[in-house]
């Protein structure tokens, strides 16, 4: 967009954005960046390394250079700044996993029929975000988003000092996915135990993360539907991370009430996730795009605002409600406590 509205250039960029998405996907799938990590190469060399068609490889490399993902010097191609860290598979910061999720066929299929979704007011897909063991959630739990680790650390920063004053730190993480929100608390506080709740296939992934982070001996698992699962313990902290936006506010209130019945006196419910705030939508682009995905992918889900989460927590009987955010982090945290 331009400052004063749209022009043909900005419209063209939107019309063609999907081509760069598929360009990135193809280059990662073929491991073009791994091939160029060995040094500058021409299309024939790259085609030989990748066992691809030389003519099509030249087109791919030129496309990647036109998008700034690699650099061209005549017929020699090399990695751009940042590509070594982000796009080469051996790098600890490799982003190919996130691309698998954010640029997945699952998301594409959901967004493809957006007009129809808007006509009807909810998902048109038989298999969608609310389907038990939806394979997308297994990928999501495996590959973590850019916001996952900083978000988990932020929650631990907020809960940690409060938890020092408590005798126990029993944590329930609902719709936990990878489980990192609970595991970050367990990693910081040896007293902490975590019940990690999600669909069974997703919990298999969470188990791997718990082991990797060295907290698995203090984690138990609650497989199944969060709305149905039986809670047999009481908790100091209950976390709902990027979960409630899959449901209408009325269902969020029902679930929060159920969870509050398993909260110890003085316990805390922590909602963390993308939340659009009042103000110009242009200031919250990613939240509004995620909102469209939730519209397209659930019966009644949408991104709730911090104001709505305040209402949800107070309807469930919680007080001391606080909204917290951290500069540079796209997630917000809304928490409330039981008297
Ligand atoms: C967006 S992910 C959030 C994962 C993690 N809490 C985070 O904040 O990154 C949503 C999670 O909710 C889980 N989920 C969806 N519907 C569920 C339900 N009815 N019961 C339990 N888990 C559910 C999905 O499997 C997925 O792991």
């Amino acid at each position: 967009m331009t400052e004063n509205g749209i022009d043909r250039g900005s419209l063209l960029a939107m019309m063609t954005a999907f081509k760069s998405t598929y360009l990135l996907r193809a280059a990662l799938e073929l491991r073009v960046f791994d091939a160029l990590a060995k040094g500058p190469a021409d299309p024939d060399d790259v085609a030989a390394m990748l066992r691809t068609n030389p003519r099509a490889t030249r087109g791919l490399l030129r496309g990647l250079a036109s998008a700034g993902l690699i650099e061209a010097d005549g017929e020699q191609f090399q990695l751009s700044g940042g590509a070594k860290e982000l796009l080469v598979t051996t790098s600890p910061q490799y982003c190919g996993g996130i691309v698998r999720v954010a640029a997945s066929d699952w998301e594409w299929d959901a967004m493809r029929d957006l007009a129809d979704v808007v006509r009807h007011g909810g998902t048109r897909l038989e298999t969608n975000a609310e389907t038990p063991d939806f394979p997308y959630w297994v990928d999501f739990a495996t590959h973590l988003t850019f916001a996952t680790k900083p978000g988990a650390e932020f929650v631990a920063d907020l809960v940690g000092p409060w938890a020092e004053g408590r005798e126990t730190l029993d944590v329930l993480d609902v719709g936990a996915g990878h489980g990192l929100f609970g595991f970050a608390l367990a990693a910081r506080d040896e007293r902490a135990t975590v019940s990690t709740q999600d669909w069974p296939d997703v919990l298999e992934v969470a188990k791997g993360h718990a082991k990797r982070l060295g907290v698995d001996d203090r984690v138990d698992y609650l497989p199944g539907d969060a709305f149905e699962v039986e809670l047999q313990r009481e908790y100091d902290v209950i976390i709902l991370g990027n979960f409630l936006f899959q449901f209408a506010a009325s269902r969020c209130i029902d679930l929060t009430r159920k969870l509050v019945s398993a909260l110890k006196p003085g316990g805390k419910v922590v909602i963390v996730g993308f939340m659009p705030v009042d103000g110009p939508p242009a200031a919250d682009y990613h939240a509004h795009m995620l909102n469209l995905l939730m519209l397209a992918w659930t019966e009644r889900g949408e991104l709730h605002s911090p104001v709505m989460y305040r209402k949800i927590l107070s309807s469930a009987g919680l007080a001391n409600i606080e909204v917290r955010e951290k500069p540079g982090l796209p997630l917000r945290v809304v928490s409330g406590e039981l008297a």
Side-chain angles (χ1 to χ4, degrees), residues 129-134 136-138 140-141 144-145 147-148 173-181 197-203 222-229 239-247 251 255 272-273 290 294 331:
E130 295 181 76
T131 306
D133 284 321
F134 184 36
Y136 173 90
W137 291 133
V138 175
F140 185 95
L144 315 181
T145 70
T148 305
D173 188 357
V174 179
H178 40 72
L180 258 68
F181 286 105
Q197 197 288 318
D198 208 299
W199 300 116
D201 281 10
V202 178
L203 290 184
L222 298 176
D225 185 346
F227 292 84
E228 306 288 331
V229 77
I239 302 172
L240 292 147
N242 295 295
F243 182 71
L244 293 178
F245 55 50
Q246 297 170 87
F247 312 103
R251 282 200 88 198
L255 177 65
V272 49
L290 181 59
M294 285 305 133
L331 306 177

Side-chain angles (χ1 to χ4, degrees), residues 150-173 180-194 235-241 263 266-272 313 320 322-326 332-337:
E153 293 304 325
F154 183 45
V155 170
D157 288 343
L158 295 177
V159 172
W162 170 88
E164 279 171 22
R166 294 190 65 85
E167 279 176 20
T168 52
L169 183 54
D170 295 323
V171 180
L172 169 63
D173 188 357
L180 258 68
F181 286 105
F183 303 158
L185 283 170
R188 288 210 197 169
D189 190 329
E190 283 184 355
R191 296 170 308 156
T193 70
V194 185
Y235 297 96
D236 298 276
V237 179
I238 299 180
I239 302 172
L240 292 147
L263 207 54
K268 220 183 201 3
V269 172
V270 177
I271 299 172
V272 49
L313 292 180
N320 293 342
E322 287 186 337
V323 180
R324 305 292 290 270
E325 56 186 66
K326 184 176 177 180
R332 293 188 170 87
V333 173
V334 186
S335 64
E337 290 172 19

Side-chain angles (χ1 to χ4, degrees), residues 202-225:
V202 178
L203 290 184
E204 288 308 311
V205 180
K207 281 179 194 171
H209 290 303
K211 213 165 188 169
R212 181 173 54 78
L213 295 168
V215 297
D216 51 323
D217 56 333
R218 286 177 284 134
V219 180
D220 60 70
Y221 297 92
L222 298 176
D225 185 346

Side-chain angles (χ1 to χ4, degrees), residues 3-332:
E3 229 174 81
N4 300 316
I6 56 164
D7 59 16
R8 289 194 171 110
S10 59
L11 282 180
L12 188 63
M14 287 181 92
M15 288 176 223
T16 56
F18 79 96
K19 291 183 182 130
S20 52
T21 305
Y22 279 94
L23 175 64
L24 176 62
R25 277 179 41 154
L28 288 169
E29 183 182 328
L30 294 168
R31 300 198 169 199
V32 172
F33 306 104
D34 285 2
L36 292 179
K38 295 172 186 141
D42 68 23
D44 288 341
D45 293 336
V46 175
M49 285 188 265
L50 303 180
R51 299 191 183 169
T52 49
N53 175 281
R55 186 182 67 85
T57 303
R58 178 172 292 106
L60 182 74
L61 291 169
R62 288 183 174 170
L64 289 167
S66 75
L69 287 166
I70 60 174
E71 286 171 6
D73 180 6
E75 282 296 284
Q76 289 290 303
F77 294 88
Q78 61 181 18
L79 293 181
S80 306
K84 196 170 173 198
E85 290 73 34
L86 300 174
L87 299 173
V88 173
T89 53
T90 49
S91 163
Q93 288 119 56
Y94 177 61
C95 293
I98 305 180
V99 175
R100 272 182 65 111
V101 178
S104 60
D105 289 344
W106 297 108
E107 292 206 11
W108 174 259
D109 286 346
M111 293 298 285
R112 183 181 5 223
D113 295 325
L114 188 58
D116 209 26
V117 166
V118 173
R119 263 181 222 114
H120 289 87
T123 190
R124 309 297 290 153
L125 296 171
E126 232 167 78
T127 302
N128 56 55
E130 295 181 76
T131 306
D133 284 321
F134 184 36
Y136 173 90
W137 291 133
V138 175
D139 262 5
F140 185 95
T142 306
H143 297 296
L144 315 181
T145 70
F146 290 137
T148 305
K149 283 184 201 162
E153 293 304 325
F154 183 45
V155 170
D157 288 343
L158 295 177
V159 172
W162 170 88
E164 279 171 22
R166 294 190 65 85
E167 279 176 20
T168 52
L169 183 54
D170 295 323
V171 180
L172 169 63
D173 188 357
V174 179
H178 40 72
L180 258 68
F181 286 105
F183 303 158
L185 283 170
R188 288 210 197 169
D189 190 329
E190 283 184 355
R191 296 170 308 156
T193 70
V194 185
S195 294
T196 302
Q197 197 288 318
D198 208 299
W199 300 116
D201 281 10
V202 178
L203 290 184
E204 288 308 311
V205 180
K207 281 179 194 171
H209 290 303
K211 213 165 188 169
R212 181 173 54 78
L213 295 168
V215 297
D216 51 323
D217 56 333
R218 286 177 284 134
V219 180
D220 60 70
Y221 297 92
L222 298 176
D225 185 346
F227 292 84
E228 306 288 331
V229 77
E230 238 180 83
L231 301 173
Q232 290 175 342
R233 296 210 275 143
E234 289 200 320
Y235 297 96
D236 298 276
V237 179
I238 299 180
I239 302 172
L240 292 147
N242 295 295
F243 182 71
L244 293 178
F245 55 50
Q246 297 170 87
F247 312 103
S250 56
R251 282 200 88 198
C252 297
I253 292 173
D254 291 346
L255 177 65
T256 311
R257 283 194 178 134
K258 166 187 160 147
L259 297 174
V260 165
S261 70
L263 207 54
K264 293 184 196 177
K268 220 183 201 3
V269 172
V270 177
I271 299 172
V272 49
F274 282 87
M275 303 175 195
V277 285
D278 291 338
D284 238 344
Y285 174 80
H286 289 292
H288 288 283
M289 293 300 113
L290 181 59
N291 185 46
L292 292 178
L293 183 64
M294 285 305 133
L295 287 175
W297 226 359
T298 63
E299 290 290 333
R300 297 281 314 281
E302 62 182 295
L303 260 64
H304 306 295
S305 66
V307 172
M308 178 55 79
Y309 283 128
R310 271 182 184 276
K311 282 188 192 151
I312 289 168
L313 292 180
S314 64
S315 302
L318 298 179
N320 293 342
I321 297 172
E322 287 186 337
V323 180
R324 305 292 290 270
E325 56 186 66
K326 184 176 177 180
L329 189 68
L331 306 177
R332 293 188 170 87

